[in-house]
Amino acid sequence: MSAPTPAPVMVEQKENIAHDEIVAGHVLPSPPSAPQAVADVSPWNRLGSLETMKLFRKTTILCLLAGFNACSDGFQFSLPGQIIANAGFIKQVGVKSANGTYALNAYNVSAWGGIYTGGYIAALLIATYPNDKLGRKFNLLCIQLFLAVACILEMFTTDWRMWGAAKLFDGFSIGFNQATLSTYISELAPTNARGSLLAMYQLWFTIGQFSAAIALYILSKTTPLEWKKAIYSEWLFTGIALIIWVFLPESPRWLASKGKHDRAKAILARLNGSIDGYNVEREYAILLQEVEDGQKLLEASNQMSYFALFRGTNLRRTLLSFGPFAWQTWLGVPIIFGYTSYYFQIAGLSQPFLGTVAVYVILLVFVIISFWSVERIGRRPLLLVGGAVCVITMLINGAVATQTFTTSIGSVIISMACLWCAAYALSAGPLGYVYLGEMSTVVLRAKTTGVAAAMTGVLNLITSYCVPILLSTTAANWGVKGTSFFFAGTGAVGWVLVYFFVPETRGRSYLELDELFERRIPARKFASTQTSVQTVSDMSRKGDEEA
């Protein structure tokens, strides 16, 4: 059955109106031969998230397929951190002790983390240039090419140095992914489904992590010394991602920003033209208005470089892109995901790979639930409640780890890790990517995403190097107790910052977000503040009811 055709919501055009007045009603200067941006509010903004995804099913499917890039990244990210507990890998790259056993050098493990994060940071900074100049789709291809190089190096690894080289290319891949994928999905997705589709990044990433955990668990039960069998499975993810890439369109918003209006409109027509009542010219004019709105604000302040990210309201938006995303790390991601099996092994569990599988099963289930909760409950409440649970479970793990290890203690550690995963999957996990994609103005989105993720990467560089040393009995020997207490403390500090500074963005169009930031609305009042777009929509609805 066809969806009902909503009436267009029109607003009288006015010239020279200040941005913090009637945002939806101003007329922005158009480039030569470009269609004029009209004052219009999309009628589709009235739909709920599920209705939106059902109606815009082609766009939704493409966003879901694009997210598969995160699946291959999740596998590559998780596998190295888990494989260091594998006996075959340890024998290959470890050091032989006097009693004839093999063990990994904690400082080599830390070096791998540092190399990976260094490549990740470099990629985030480099990726913004091709992202802006060559397009989002070019960068999506680079992700898989870097992963292929990493996989080849892993297949032929003979010592810790070659494994480190593979981690460098892993870092390049994930850096390009985080600089590109959130931007691409946020620009392609319809407004009222944007949060759910951005959260899909975490689902695909989790599926990749879960696959790595399953592969290593099977390996540990069959041929544990033949660790390279797990490496070969990486090609499956890369191959699927390359096939998907062929069918992905370029971002219409990127095309609009480059003046390629005919191509942008052709993509909108191909994706949504079959929807009853969908007017390509009207919807493209609204899209163009968002692009030109951000362009006008930047040109008015002569802000067209990276310095623009740290001036005026853009500074606040850059920090908000960075904050929730960085909080993922400081809630305990490095020990729960980066070194899951190692963490459980240090805790004394006899089957660390089985504990890893349990963690990822929980993570996968609750990430799926987050697609509903992120639009139904909202971003801010989920961050606050979920983050608090993560902090509390870290405290409990630290407390029980002070006791002599028993089977009961091991069960508590696994249970708390699973509860941490459930809370994380409903809060900072998916929402870190949501805020990374939503916070910036349209014309600065690629730069903001890249720089915010790079700032997070600098913090990750510290943890990726330090965590193996902190955990290892041959180095700092903090163990589960010390590292759990440490991340409980950093997570609590982050929770306070989230409470005071992170706003609710559920259901807000990019025009509304521009207006709220320009009006300098406090974070705790974002959800309750009436915008000019809402005023226009309410007037139109009232008129329809009276008619």
Side-chain angles (χ1 to χ4, degrees):
M1 190 170 93
S2 299
T5 304
V9 183
M10 302 299 296
V11 186
E12 181 184 356
Q13 296 186 3
K14 298 181 181 180
E15 297 194 20
N16 300 321
I17 295 180
H19 178 75
D20 58 356
E21 294 177 16
I22 303 180
V23 177
H26 64 199
V27 179
L28 299 167
S30 298
S33 73
Q36 179 69 34
V38 299
D40 200 354
V41 178
S42 176
W44 311 110
N45 285 351
R46 298 178 182 178
L47 299 177
S49 59
L50 292 178
E51 293 175 293
T52 300
M53 285 190 279
K54 182 179 179 181
L55 188 62
F56 291 84
R57 53 186 173 273
K58 289 183 181 178
T59 303
T60 298
I61 290 170
L62 286 172
C63 287
L64 297 179
L65 291 175
F68 187 84
N69 282 276
C71 189
S72 52
D73 264 354
F75 192 95
Q76 286 273 44
F77 170 81
S78 182
L79 186 71
Q82 315 310 329
I83 207 169
I84 61 176
N86 176 272
F89 180 81
I90 294 171
K91 186 175 181 180
Q92 177 73 64
V93 302
V95 178
K96 190 174 183 179
S97 64
N99 62 7
T101 61
Y102 287 86
L104 294 177
N105 184 313
Y107 293 95
N108 288 348
V109 177
S110 294
W112 295 333
I115 291 168
Y116 161 81
T117 308
Y120 164 71
I121 295 170
L124 285 167
L125 296 174
I126 294 169
T128 57
Y129 179 82
N131 209 9
D132 273 337
K133 298 297 182 182
L134 302 177
R136 318 313 191 202
K137 191 171 179 179
F138 175 84
N139 271 20
L140 292 176
L141 176 62
C142 290
I143 293 167
Q144 300 307 320
L145 296 181
F146 286 135
L147 279 178
V149 174
C151 189
I152 291 170
L153 289 170
E154 289 169 356
M155 287 168 55
F156 294 98
T157 289
T158 56
D159 60 24
W160 73 271
R161 296 175 186 84
M162 197 165 182
W163 188 259
K167 295 312 101 198
L168 180 65
F169 283 93
D170 274 341
F172 286 160
S173 172
I174 293 182
F176 263 70
N177 204 348
Q178 292 188 354
T180 307
L181 192 56
S182 293
T183 298
Y184 178 79
I185 292 175
S186 71
E187 292 180 345
L188 194 64
T191 297
N192 286 354
R194 189 178 62 225
S196 294
L197 294 175
L198 281 169
M200 187 64 66
Y201 186 110
Q202 184 64 51
L203 173 65
W204 282 122
F205 199 84
T206 300
I207 291 174
Q209 292 175 301
F210 179 67
S211 300
I214 291 292
L216 288 172
Y217 178 68
I218 293 173
L219 189 66
S220 70
K221 292 298 182 183
T222 53
T223 53
L225 296 181
E226 298 178 22
W227 60 275
K228 290 188 179 180
K229 286 183 177 180
I231 304 298
Y232 302 147
S233 59
E234 295 174 7
W235 289 107
L236 174 65
F237 296 96
T238 299
I240 293 174
L242 287 172
I243 293 172
I244 289 172
W245 179 85
V246 174
F247 298 96
L248 295 178
E250 183 54 85
S251 161
R253 280 182 171 79
W254 180 81
L255 292 170
S257 71
K258 298 301 177 183
K260 300 178 180 182
H261 305 293
D262 290 340
R263 279 187 62 193
K265 287 194 289 185
I267 290 172
L268 290 179
R270 187 169 76 248
L271 296 181
N272 307 318
S274 61
I275 298 173
D276 288 345
Y278 187 90
N279 186 310
V280 173
E281 292 294 336
R282 181 188 66 213
E283 295 297 327
Y284 185 69
I286 296 170
L287 181 154
L288 185 63
Q289 184 175 340
E290 293 176 353
V291 173
E292 292 180 344
D293 181 60
Q295 189 76 34
K296 182 180 178 182
L297 290 173
L298 292 175
E299 290 176 348
S301 303
N302 194 27
Q303 297 179 342
M304 294 304 294
S305 69
Y306 277 100
F307 292 111
L309 303 180
F310 305 100
R311 294 174 179 158
T313 58
N314 287 329
L315 173 60
R316 181 185 179 191
R317 301 178 79 158
T318 299
L319 293 175
L320 287 172
S321 295
F322 157 73
F325 193 56
W327 197 33
Q328 293 179 339
T329 296
W330 297 102
L331 279 170
V333 163
I335 54 175
I336 299 296
F337 296 144
Y339 297 97
T340 318
S341 298
Y342 195 39
Y343 178 73
F344 288 151
Q345 191 178 57
I346 295 296
L349 272 67
S350 59
Q351 297 190 56
F353 290 113
L354 183 59
T356 301
V357 171
V359 162
Y360 285 117
V361 168
I362 297 294
L363 182 66
L364 185 60
V365 170
F366 281 89
V367 164
I368 293 172
I369 294 173
S370 75
F371 304 145
W372 170 84
S373 62
V374 72
E375 295 294 355
R376 174 70 67 164
I377 298 174
R379 282 69 151 153
R380 183 178 160 88
L382 288 173
L383 276 179
L384 292 173
V385 175
V389 173
C390 288
V391 170
I392 292 168
T393 53
M394 278 291 164
L395 283 172
I396 294 174
N397 262 358
V400 299
T402 61
Q403 308 300 312
T404 302
F405 182 81
T406 63
T407 302
S408 298
I409 294 294
S411 298
V412 170
I413 289 174
I414 289 183
S415 298
M416 288 301 102
C418 289
L419 182 56
W420 184 98
C421 283
Y424 173 85
L426 291 174
S427 58
L431 290 172
Y433 298 103
V434 171
Y435 279 99
L436 190 65
E438 286 187 337
M439 283 294 94
S440 64
T441 189
V442 174
V443 293
L444 281 177
R445 184 159 298 128
K447 286 185 174 68
T448 304
T449 301
V451 169
M455 291 164 64
T456 304
V458 171
L459 296 178
N460 290 348
L461 181 61
I462 299 171
T463 58
S464 61
Y465 183 81
C466 292
V467 165
I469 295 174
L470 297 178
L471 282 170
S472 177
T473 55
T474 63
N477 197 25
W478 281 24
V480 171
K481 176 186 69 175
T483 51
S484 295
F485 280 142
F486 174 78
F487 284 107
T490 55
V493 171
W495 189 93
V496 173
L497 294 175
V498 167
Y499 179 79
F500 285 105
F501 298 110
V502 176
E504 177 60 73
T505 60
R506 178 179 55 150
R508 297 292 194 183
S509 69
Y510 286 124
L511 279 175
E512 288 182 279
L513 291 176
D514 284 344
E515 178 183 346
L516 291 167
F517 280 114
E518 285 299 304
R519 290 169 57 185
R520 303 182 188 277
I521 301 299
R524 284 172 287 172
K525 295 183 179 180
F526 253 59
S528 59
T529 299
Q530 180 86 355
T531 65
S532 58
V533 172
Q534 286 178 299
T535 301
V536 169
S537 183
D538 289 346
M539 291 172 57
S540 174
R541 186 179 294 109
K542 184 178 179 181
D544 291 343
E545 291 172 354
E546 291 176 350

